Amino acid sequence: MLTLHQAGLTNTPAIAPLDGTIRPGELLAIVGPNGAGKSTLLSMLSGFRSAEQGELHLDGKPLRAWPITELANRRALVAQQELPGFDWQTNELLSLGSNPSKSLVAALLDDLDITHLAKRSVLSLSGGERQRVMIARGACQLLSRCSPTAKEGGILLLDEPTSALDIGQQQRLMRQLRSWATQHHMAIVCVLHDLNLASTYADRVWLLHQGQRIDHGLPNQVLNPATIAKIYAAELQRIEGGTHGKPLLALAP
Ligand SMILES: Nc1ncnc2c1ncn2[C@@H]1O[C@H](COP(=O)(O)OP(=O)(O)OP(=O)(O)O)[C@@H](O)[C@H]1O
């Protein structure tokens, strides 16, 4: 569990202090316009950038106090359009640094529909294939170090994980993230530009604007057309009848 106590960043890019708890088993979406500070916030949540005010606690201990190797057992960050540093094969890349079982690697490849890419050089993959490989690697980092009976499966932080995926793969990924969250008690935090994916799959949403979290709560409450139209400077129409009655937002023609 990750808790924020007035945690923020004062240096550019700044993040205004915020409180909150990210719990095992939940999928939290962070949304907001370009430049709102989403990637910067993700970097603070991961500990790659230390909070400059307030404090974050991971599993009851200050985030900054975790030794780096132990931190790697508890949180994984998959950055935007991350590129592997070397031309590994897919299955080698998943195994780097964490020594996972063959069955875990096979299960994760299957989860993200990339089994056929196991022996391929990662630099030869398409953008959408590589994006799924990097997400599988992030999940592998956490799952290979967690005991199957652990009550907390760590925190997986994903920056725009669907940006290169076709709609079928977007659906498969979002369903899989929900499944990992439930099955492994993993907390999953996703930066998303697609508000309808956030509405359909997230348990909660944080809405960021100009470095401030201006709203947070259930998707139905936060993703209301009036607020979103204003924050994104977009003309929208609301479509009723989405999954489980959740409204969807569409661009007005
Ligand atoms: N090193 C830096 N120095 C100065 N400004 C920066 C630096 N890194 C990021 N910024 C600025 O801080 C703001 C927040 O950046 P960030 O990448 O967190 O936004 P974002 O919400 O993830 O945006 P996007 O949706 O476009 O990916 C942006 O205006 C960006 O230009």
Side-chain angles (χ1 to χ4, degrees):
M1 175 151 50
L2 185 67
T3 49
L4 292 83
H5 312 276
Q6 288 294 293
L9 297 168
T10 47
N11 292 316
T12 309
I15 297 289
L18 63 158
D19 293 313
T21 304
I22 301 170
R23 296 180 189 83
E26 80 167 333
L27 201 163
L28 171 70
I30 299 178
V31 304
N34 287 143
K38 303 177 298 296
S39 300
T40 307
L41 174 58
L42 215 57
S43 175
M44 183 178 84
L45 296 177
S46 70
F48 281 111
R49 189 160 165 199
S50 292
E52 288 150 3
Q53 58 190 134
E55 189 65 273
L56 291 98
H57 283 86
L58 178 63
D59 299 343
K61 176 166 151 183
L63 189 56
R64 65 182 88 225
W66 284 100
I68 191 71
T69 46
E70 288 187 45
L71 193 55
N73 296 344
R74 289 174 168 80
R75 70 94 182 87
L77 172 68
V78 182
Q80 244 182 79
Q81 293 165 6
E82 196 170 335
L83 273 179
F86 193 75
D87 196 11
W88 307 97
Q89 282 185 1
T90 294
N91 53 1
E92 290 171 337
L93 185 74
L94 259 65
S95 306
L96 271 186
S98 56
N99 200 21
S101 66
K102 283 190 176 162
S103 61
L104 174 61
V105 171
L108 289 170
L109 293 175
D110 183 52
D111 284 349
L112 295 190
D113 193 23
I114 46 177
T115 304
H116 59 295
L117 306 176
K119 301 274 182 201
R120 280 273 300 279
S121 127
V122 284
L123 296 182
S124 75
L125 302 178
S126 75
E129 290 168 344
R130 191 157 56 224
Q131 189 164 38
R132 283 178 282 146
V133 168
M134 298 312 285
I135 295 166
R137 184 178 179 221
C140 195
Q141 177 186 325
L142 294 177
L143 295 176
S144 59
R145 301 168 193 228
C146 272
S147 102
T149 54
K151 292 202 179 109
E152 302 203 11
I155 298 195
L156 183 60
L157 301 147
L158 304 172
D159 201 347
E160 297 187 30
T162 59
S163 61
L165 304 188
D166 66 55
I167 54 170
Q169 292 297 350
Q170 288 180 23
Q171 182 182 53
R172 185 171 182 136
L173 174 70
M174 296 308 295
R175 286 177 169 173
Q176 195 55 59
L177 295 180
R178 289 219 58 94
S179 164
W180 286 341
T182 308
Q183 199 185 337
H184 303 295
H185 311 289
M186 200 184 269
I188 299 184
V189 182
C190 283
V191 169
L192 291 173
H193 274 301
D194 187 328
L195 302 177
N196 290 327
L197 287 183
S199 173
T200 305
Y201 297 103
D203 298 302
R204 291 189 301 136
V205 177
W206 290 4
L207 173 60
L208 244 64
H209 183 46
Q210 297 176 345
Q212 294 201 32
R213 190 183 61 188
I214 57 166
D215 201 2
H216 61 110
L218 297 174
N220 284 356
Q221 294 161 349
V222 177
L223 301 175
N224 76 75
T227 311
I228 295 299
K230 190 169 155 207
I231 297 300
Y232 284 80
E235 269 186 68
L236 300 173
Q237 51 193 3
R238 182 179 167 120
I239 303 168
E240 300 300 333
T243 320
H244 306 305
K246 292 180 180 176
L248 301 175
L249 298 173
L251 294 175

